[in-house]
Amino acid sequence: FSQADITFYACKPFACNGGYWAGDRSCRKGSEGPLCAVCSDGYGKSGDTCVACPSKALNIFTLTLVAIVLVFVIFIMVLTNLTSGAKGKSLLSIVIKLLMNYL
């Protein structure tokens, strides 16, 4: 190798602790790999930094809550459409039109 073949790359300050260590020892918690640019297991990228992933229980709770709210909103929308459009029309035709709009 000649002097021209050596290239130094700066490690990102939000991922590296700095110091004289080589390899993963110089990386902050949650980062590893070349230039501390890879997230460790259980961590994910948020912008440029590696942050801890939420627990599985929190993900299940959030997804369940979103599903319940979505079903509630759709129920309210259908109920509102049924009560406002039921004047002089068949209830079956209104329900069929609503279902066709949501498909």
Side-chain angles (χ1 to χ4, degrees):
F1 290 106
S2 69
Q3 190 73 334
D5 292 335
I6 298 173
T7 305
F8 291 94
Y9 295 96
C11 188
K12 304 292 183 194
F14 49 80
C16 294
N17 289 324
Y20 58 88
W21 297 289
D24 293 341
R25 288 183 59 199
S26 66
C27 298
R28 292 186 184 215
K29 185 176 181 183
S31 299
E32 60 185 35
L35 300 177
C36 302
V38 179
C39 292
S40 304
D41 287 338
Y43 288 81
K45 285 275 190 193
S46 177
D48 288 332
T49 58
C50 294
V51 294
C53 295
S55 68
K56 190 173 184 178
L58 180 62
N59 285 338
I60 291 171
F61 174 75
T62 304
L63 185 60
T64 303
L65 185 64
V66 167
I68 289 171
V69 168
L70 184 64
V71 167
F72 180 73
V73 168
I74 290 173
F75 175 76
I76 295 298
M77 290 174 67
V78 168
L79 188 63
T80 304
N81 282 331
L82 284 175
T83 57
S84 68
K87 299 175 183 97
K89 294 183 181 178
S90 165
L91 188 61
L92 179 63
S93 67
I94 295 170
V95 171
I96 290 173
K97 286 179 184 179
L98 286 171
L99 290 176
M100 292 302 287
N101 282 331
Y102 287 113
L103 294 178

